[in-house]
Amino acid sequence: MKKIILLLAFVYCNLLFSQKEDKFQEIYFPVKYVLKSSKDTIKTKILNIGFYTNEEFSPATYIKQMTVLDPSGKRIKVNEDDVQYMEIVDLKKVERKFINGKSIFSKDLGLLQVKYNGKKTAWYRKSSYSGPIYTYETNDTDYVLFRKDKSVIEMHLKMRGSVTQLKEKLYGYPDLSALVDVVIEDKDILNILKLYDKK
C-alpha cells in the first residue's frame, strides 16, 4: 500500500511540475513588421504575452513594447510607437493586421488592429492596458470610420450603450439599426458593417 501511495505521489508531482513548466513556456508567433524609419519588411518571431495562456494571442504582446528575435535568434525590444505596420499569425493560424494610427487619424494612437476594411467603412481597435504586465486589464477602444463623410465613431464595446452612435449613423437602414440592439461580440459588429457595405 505504501508503495502505491508513493508511486501515485511521484506521478502527481511530475504532472504538477510539468504543467507549471508548460504554463510559463515562452510561445513565439510569426510576425512581419515595417518600422517607421525603414521601408523594409522584417520577418521574424514575436514573443506572445498571454495572461492565462501564451497560446492565445494577447494585445499585451505589442502594447508599448514587443519582444522579437533578431536574425541570430537573440531577443530584442521594439517600441510600439516605432512600428508602421505589422502582421501576426497565432498558433490557430488567425492573422491579425495592425497599422499605426497616425496614418489613419492624423493623431498618434500607436498601433491599431485592423478589424475590418470595407468599401464604405473601416473598423480599427486600439488596445491598451493598465497595471503591471502580468496582472494587467486590457481596455479596447473601437473606431468605425465612414468613408463617405470621413466621420469616425468611437466605441467601447464592453460599456453599455456605447454603440448608440453606430445605431444613429445607421438610422436610414432599420434592419441594420435593429441588429445594433443585439450586439454582443465582435462578429456582430463585423456582420453589420459587411451588410452596410452591400447597401
Side-chain angles (χ1 to χ4, degrees):
M1 185 70 174
K2 284 183 181 179
K3 287 181 180 179
I4 293 173
I5 292 172
L6 209 60
L7 180 65
L8 288 173
F10 177 74
V11 170
Y12 177 75
C13 285
N14 277 344
L15 286 173
L16 182 66
F17 287 114
S18 68
Q19 285 177 350
K20 279 188 177 180
E21 284 176 20
D22 288 346
K23 186 177 179 182
F24 298 109
Q25 181 183 5
E26 291 184 340
I27 304 289
Y28 288 84
F29 294 157
V31 65
K32 292 193 292 191
Y33 65 95
V34 178
L35 296 172
K36 289 179 182 176
S37 60
S38 170
K39 293 190 178 188
D40 295 336
T41 300
I42 301 166
K43 294 181 182 180
T44 184
K45 295 194 173 202
I46 186 170
L47 176 64
N48 186 53
I49 300 173
F51 188 48
Y52 297 109
T53 173
N54 279 343
E55 293 186 10
E56 289 183 20
F57 172 79
S58 166
T61 297
Y62 69 89
I63 295 173
K64 296 180 184 173
Q65 194 175 65
M66 57 191 193
T67 302
V68 296
L69 301 178
D70 72 4
S72 67
K74 183 181 174 185
R75 290 165 51 148
I76 58 170
K77 302 284 186 184
V78 176
N79 290 327
E80 176 188 358
D81 291 337
D82 295 337
V83 178
Q84 180 62 36
Y85 179 81
M86 179 171 68
E87 292 179 19
I88 297 175
V89 181
D90 68 16
L91 297 180
K92 295 179 179 178
K93 304 296 183 203
V94 176
E95 182 181 65
R96 291 171 175 84
K97 295 180 180 182
F98 302 84
I99 191 160
N100 187 276
K102 196 165 189 177
S103 63
I104 301 163
F105 297 118
S106 301
K107 61 181 179 177
D108 206 359
L109 295 170
L111 288 175
L112 300 176
Q113 183 179 353
V114 181
K115 299 289 286 178
Y116 178 69
N117 194 8
K119 295 181 295 180
K120 296 181 181 178
T121 61
W123 173 22
Y124 304 97
R125 172 167 291 163
K126 171 64 182 167
S127 295
S128 58
Y129 66 77
S130 53
I133 189 83
Y134 289 106
T135 58
Y136 70 89
E137 180 183 341
T138 302
N139 301 306
D140 295 326
T141 303
D142 292 280
Y143 301 94
V144 178
L145 169 68
F146 287 83
R147 299 191 192 283
K148 188 175 182 180
D149 62 2
K150 297 182 180 173
S151 62
V152 178
I153 294 173
E154 182 178 320
M155 301 183 300
H156 301 269
L157 294 179
K158 292 179 184 175
M159 293 172 58
R160 293 187 73 189
S162 68
V163 291
T164 306
Q165 283 182 300
L166 182 59
K167 187 172 182 176
E168 290 170 4
K169 194 75 178 171
L170 301 173
Y171 182 75
Y173 304 98
D175 55 332
L176 299 182
S177 191
L179 290 175
V180 174
D181 288 330
V182 292
V183 165
I184 297 173
E185 299 178 89
D186 286 359
K187 66 180 183 180
D188 301 323
I189 296 283
L190 185 61
N191 181 47
I192 290 167
L193 295 180
K194 284 181 175 178
L195 289 171
Y196 178 70
D197 260 1
K198 293 176 182 175
K199 298 286 185 185

